[in-house]
Structure formats: C-alpha cells, structure tokens
Amino acid sequence: RPGRVDIDLKLDKLSNEDVRSMTIAFYGEKSLEGIRANEMPNKVLTGAELNNILYSHSLDSEKGIDLLRRRAN
C-alpha cells in the first residue's frame, strides 16, 4: 500500500559519547564541565533508560549526572 516502508533497525545500547551528548542536550553544556566521556556509562543504557534517568532528575542535574557516573562503574 502507498506510504508503507519496511525497515529493520537495530537500536543498540548507547556509547559513552552518546550518553554525554544526550546529557548535554538535556541539562546544558555547563552541566558536564570537567566530566569526560569515559566517565559516562558505555553500552549499559538504552536511549529510553537514559531519558528516564534525565527526566526523573530534571530539577537536579547533579543528582542525575551522579547516577550516570555510578552506572559507568
């Protein structure tokens, strides 16, 4: 039928650089000053899991970032 698209798309766990980029987009550039990508979880979280963490701590970025750093270890 018109407009139908068949596609297989694999959504993998996020790299630490993806986590860092999404966190900066959510909290702002200053939120991660001095925090390197390797301090973020690598291949641990899905995009949905990360969004849940960010939204759950939307009023307290330090708490959200601390949780992400603990998930990296």
Side-chain angles (χ1 to χ4, degrees), residues 14-27:
L14 300 172
S15 72
N16 50 12
E17 195 56 53
D18 294 332
V19 172
R20 183 171 165 57
S21 296
M22 288 177 68
T23 303
I24 288 172
F26 191 86
Y27 290 134

Side-chain angles (χ1 to χ4, degrees), residues 33-64:
E33 275 184 6
I35 298 175
R36 296 182 306 274
N38 66 353
E39 294 180 68
M40 296 284 107
N42 189 44
K43 303 294 181 184
V44 174
L45 300 168
T46 65
E49 290 169 327
L50 176 58
N51 274 329
N52 187 37
I53 290 170
L54 297 176
Y55 278 103
S56 294
H57 299 92
S58 61
L59 300 178
D60 190 351
S61 62
E62 287 183 26
K63 206 177 241 185

